[in-house]
Amino acid sequence: MTIDPATLAALSGVSTATVTTVLLKQGLRNVWMRGTKPLRAGQPRLIGRAFTLRFVPAREDLATPASWSSPVSTRAAIEAMPAGCIAVADAMGVTDAGIFGDILCARMAKKGVAGLVTDGVVRDVSGVLGTGLAVWCRGAAAPPSVAGLTFVSWQEPIGCGGVAVFPDDVIMVDDDGAVVIPQKLLADVAAVAAEQERLEAWIMNRVNDGAPLSGLYPPNAENRALYEAESKAR
């Protein structure tokens, strides 16, 4: 499922910080995935549909190298990923077993997957960086996933970084981490967030001109009227 172009355009200049504020005003406090940090500085802001993956604690009869050839495997899940999606992996916050390495990330990049978000870690980090796939995670670890995790499913509801993520929710990632936007709220969030960014840009200009914060951030009636008048004049 693609994102409506008008909605995508509205979100293109919006930060995850703004989205969390907009969602907070709608009663959603738990939307920022803990531990999802950019693997490389300067990664682009991304917006895409969530393709979910789920790991559970390792069980010795299932978490084996032989499981990598199973029909239920990370390899099979990657082949099911559509171009443009953002893979979101529930790794239970495990940081001593890398869920993906350079070869798997290279395949994701080749398929046009936009990025990978996980509350776990990756391995073969120099190789992963070389694939060009944008990754948000807790860092890197040498051991493979089966050293600490068992892969069990894809495209089911998961918890990543303490946040509920459902297949086809919209994921936004930037330097501040990863945020989930529930599908049913997407159009409203995009419109409100885009306007919030415009207002805050105006406020920043006023601050740079030396204006005090009182009555400006948030704007009182006088400053709100001034903002609206200047916006109409453009």
Side-chain angles (χ1 to χ4, degrees):
M1 184 190 303
T2 59
I3 300 173
D4 174 72
T7 300
L8 191 59
L11 286 172
S12 63
V14 172
S15 69
T16 57
T18 295
V19 168
T20 60
T21 301
V22 171
L23 288 170
L24 177 64
K25 291 177 179 179
Q26 298 198 25
L28 279 77
R29 296 177 178 273
N30 190 34
V31 295
W32 178 75
M33 298 175 222
R34 298 154 188 84
T36 54
K37 301 177 181 179
L39 185 62
R40 186 207 315 260
Q43 291 184 157
R45 175 185 298 152
L46 298 178
I47 303 165
R49 298 284 183 185
F51 185 99
T52 63
L53 305 106
R54 181 168 163 255
F55 291 84
V56 298
R59 207 178 76 181
E60 287 74 8
D61 61 326
L62 299 175
T64 66
S67 70
W68 295 333
S69 299
S70 166
V72 180
S73 65
T74 52
R75 281 71 171 162
I78 288 171
E79 295 307 318
M81 293 178 183
C85 76
I86 295 179
V88 184
D90 171 10
M92 304 176 56
V94 171
T95 58
D96 57 0
I99 62 165
F100 290 126
D102 54 354
I103 293 176
L104 299 192
C105 287
R107 178 57 181 159
M108 292 168 67
K110 192 71 173 180
K111 285 179 61 66
V113 173
L116 167 65
V117 172
T118 181
D119 56 2
V121 298
V122 295
R123 63 197 300 246
D124 304 312
V125 66
S126 62
V128 169
L129 291 171
T131 69
L133 182 72
V135 177
W136 280 256
C137 65
R138 289 183 182 268
S145 61
V146 293
L149 294 162
T150 300
F151 181 72
V152 292
S153 63
W154 63 90
Q155 284 299 73
E156 294 183 359
I158 62 168
C160 183
V163 175
V165 181
F166 288 76
D168 295 326
D169 277 344
V170 171
I171 306 299
M172 177 183 287
V173 281
D174 61 16
D175 286 343
D176 286 349
V179 172
V180 61
I181 306 174
Q183 167 60 31
K184 68 178 182 179
L185 300 178
L186 179 60
D188 286 344
V189 167
V192 173
E195 172 59 20
Q196 182 67 25
E197 290 282 1
R198 288 190 288 269
L199 172 60
E200 291 191 3
W202 181 84
I203 290 171
M204 181 63 80
N205 286 334
R206 297 278 289 162
V207 169
N208 288 337
D209 288 340
L213 292 178
S214 180
L216 178 64
Y217 185 57
N220 56 20
E222 179 183 354
N223 277 307
R224 173 67 72 171
L226 181 60
Y227 164 71
E228 292 176 355
E230 291 185 9
S231 296
K232 290 177 182 177
R234 294 193 191 109

